[in-house]
Amino acid sequence: MLNPNLDDIQLNKEEYERYSRHIILPEVGLEGQKRLKTASVLCIGTGGLGSPLLLYLAAAGIGRIGIVDFDIVDSSNLQRQIIHGTSWVGKPKIESAKNRILEINPACRVDLYQTRISSENAMQIMEPYDVIIDGTDNFPTRYLTNDACVLLGKPNVYGSIFRFEGQATVFNYEDGPNYRDLYPEPPPPGMVPSCAEGGVLGVLCGIIGTIQATEAIKIILGQGNTLSGRLLLYNALDMKFRELKLRPNPERPVIEKLIDYEQFCGIPQAKAAEEQQRMAMSEMNVRELKQLLDSNTNDFVLIDVRNPNEYEIAKIPGSVLVPLPEIEQGPGVEKVKELLNGHRLIAHCKMGGRSAKALGILKENGIEGTNVVGGITAWSREVDSSVPEY
């Protein structure tokens, strides 16, 4: 599929004008532009990475683009997901992406798959495309994408981002390594924070996403040296690129079929453990907390376990900041003990997850507490809308 018969492919007058800056490049030329026109690329995800790379693939003249996503546009996406606009908030991301792609290049065929990619549908969705681009943000989908690419013999253009750092490479291309050579085993659930918890610099997505688009175009053209066998690391704060060598592991287990990737990554077990912990933990909702605060009773201490910069954005009146990392490392436990002085403990975070974790650690140190379900997000939505939601 990456070596099509170009004899019957023609460019019209508008296409010669549109792609003139490509065609005059000796490495692209007329043949290369025809390759781009006949090529098909599937992007899994239209978030931070998918947004810029889809724009550039469409502008480059990729003839067929597939998009897999089941999410809707949220206002918090707009800081980095530049394919979407304010008018599309609350609407499907794939529809927003298609609308923008066709504005850039009306000749592009856009296939939409408004679904969560899974072991049941991945092979069928991915099979028609020449190149697969992984724009996902979770480990189960990354392993699924990788394994399906291996079984189908498809190049997998990979990227990931977090805070100020990103990485990119090409898997499963020209006998190169695949994702399991980089990560033979998934990390324990919750060990790697999501961008919603840790944040991400918006322009970082553009840098890594456009690198992915560049690699996909090079694969289609058959030009240059791809990132196969090389992991490119980028630090935006230091403005530094580094490169690590990647090699196939000869002892890597053979991928014979798609599996249950949620199970493989320990998600059900982690959810069960969280639920068990939650069932054993005292809880209250934000309305109950509001009543308690309004009662002016002073028999409790309300701690906020978010990070200091989050506390600056929004806070519940009367809360005391004790960040989760301090509790995990020990000093925070002692601080809580000093704060309590015989009072009962209530804890909250952004949505309830980190405060539950903090209370679990404190319980191991002999301190019982109550978790605020929904955290400050629920407080903003149900109690005080003047508190910023982030």
Side-chain angles (χ1 to χ4, degrees):
M1 296 175 71
L2 288 171
N3 295 289
N5 183 355
L6 302 176
D7 294 340
D8 297 330
I9 305 299
Q10 301 298 324
L11 301 185
N12 59 36
K13 183 177 183 297
E14 192 277 333
E15 288 173 319
Y16 276 105
E17 293 175 356
R18 177 183 286 264
Y19 305 123
S20 61
R21 301 306 189 271
H22 267 178
I23 295 171
I24 62 176
L25 289 170
E27 294 83 359
V28 181
L30 184 57
E31 178 182 322
Q33 196 61 50
K34 287 182 177 181
R35 286 181 176 274
L36 295 172
K37 183 175 181 176
T38 60
S40 58
V41 176
L42 179 71
C43 180
I44 304 175
T46 55
L49 296 174
S51 289
L53 70 87
L54 284 169
L55 295 175
Y56 274 105
L57 291 179
I62 299 297
R64 180 183 180 187
I65 295 176
I67 309 172
V68 185
D69 206 311
F70 61 93
D71 204 359
I72 62 172
V73 180
D74 185 82
S75 59
S76 66
N77 301 149
L78 303 181
Q79 162 257 7
R80 62 201 178 281
Q81 299 180 18
I82 59 172
I83 203 167
H84 310 300
T86 302
S87 64
W88 283 91
V89 170
K91 302 174 185 177
K93 284 186 176 181
I94 57 171
E95 296 288 352
S96 169
K98 180 178 180 178
N99 179 74
R100 186 72 181 98
I101 287 170
L102 293 180
E103 278 195 24
I104 294 172
N105 191 345
C108 182
R109 170 181 167 181
V110 184
D111 305 328
L112 302 183
Y113 304 92
Q114 190 171 0
T115 183
R116 184 189 297 271
I117 197 161
S118 66
S119 297
E120 287 70 38
N121 62 21
M123 301 288 279
Q124 181 180 1
I125 292 174
M126 293 166 62
E127 197 279 331
Y129 297 91
D130 301 324
V131 179
I132 311 300
I133 301 185
D134 184 350
T136 63
D137 61 358
N138 63 86
F139 287 98
T141 311
R142 288 172 182 164
Y143 280 102
L144 166 62
T145 301
N146 174 80
D147 292 2
C149 284
V150 170
L151 293 172
L152 291 168
K154 308 281 186 184
N156 175 13
V157 183
Y158 163 80
S160 69
I161 48 175
F162 181 65
R163 294 177 62 83
F164 295 92
E165 298 181 356
Q167 54 184 235
T169 188
V170 175
F171 291 124
N172 200 48
Y173 183 60
E174 295 182 331
D175 299 319
N178 68 54
Y179 185 72
R180 289 179 179 269
D181 293 306
L182 178 61
Y183 297 109
E185 298 290 336
M191 177 163 289
V192 181
S194 67
C195 289
E197 292 180 340
V200 62
L201 184 69
V203 295
L204 173 68
C205 308
I207 293 168
I208 301 301
T210 49
I211 288 173
Q212 289 179 277
T214 304
E215 292 300 290
I217 290 170
K218 284 160 56 182
I219 290 170
I220 292 164
L221 295 175
Q223 293 287 345
N225 297 316
T226 71
L227 285 173
S228 178
R230 299 183 290 152
L231 180 66
L232 187 67
L233 306 175
Y234 172 66
N235 185 309
L237 281 181
D238 296 334
M239 195 51 72
K240 286 185 178 180
F241 286 91
R242 294 189 300 126
E243 189 177 291
L244 301 178
K245 292 290 185 182
L246 287 179
R247 296 182 177 85
N249 180 2
E251 298 180 0
R252 179 186 64 216
V254 176
I255 298 169
E256 297 178 326
K257 63 179 181 179
L258 301 183
I259 59 175
D260 184 335
Y261 292 91
E262 295 277 321
Q263 185 75 29
F264 175 69
C265 292
I267 306 298
Q269 300 93 313
K271 287 182 177 178
E274 288 177 7
E275 180 63 17
Q276 185 176 14
Q277 182 188 48
R278 191 189 70 80
M279 294 293 289
M281 184 178 295
S282 173
E283 293 181 337
M284 67 166 51
N285 61 43
V286 290
R287 294 187 181 280
E288 291 170 329
L289 176 61
K290 179 67 164 62
Q291 291 176 355
L292 188 62
L293 290 169
D294 289 345
S295 70
N296 293 320
T297 182
N298 59 0
D299 67 341
F300 70 95
V301 173
L302 174 63
I303 66 168
D304 184 334
V305 304
R306 296 174 299 151
N307 295 320
N309 58 313
E310 293 178 272
Y311 191 73
E312 290 179 7
I313 297 169
K315 60 177 68 71
I316 295 176
S319 62
V320 180
L321 180 66
V322 187
L324 175 60
E326 292 185 13
I327 294 174
E328 291 176 318
Q329 295 161 12
V333 176
E334 297 306 314
K335 183 176 180 178
V336 171
K337 288 180 178 179
E338 293 175 7
L339 287 169
L340 288 180
N341 192 28
H343 295 77
R344 59 181 172 134
L345 173 65
I346 301 172
H348 85 86
C349 61
K350 182 179 180 181
M351 298 183 72
R354 281 178 285 174
S355 49
K357 186 175 182 180
L359 287 170
I361 296 170
L362 292 169
K363 185 175 182 178
E364 293 174 356
N365 288 271
I367 304 171
E368 296 281 351
T370 299
N371 191 33
V372 179
V373 178
I376 199 166
T377 299
W379 180 272
S380 177
R381 294 175 181 177
E382 302 177 29
V383 176
D384 184 358
S385 60
S386 69
V387 175
E389 188 175 338
Y390 64 98

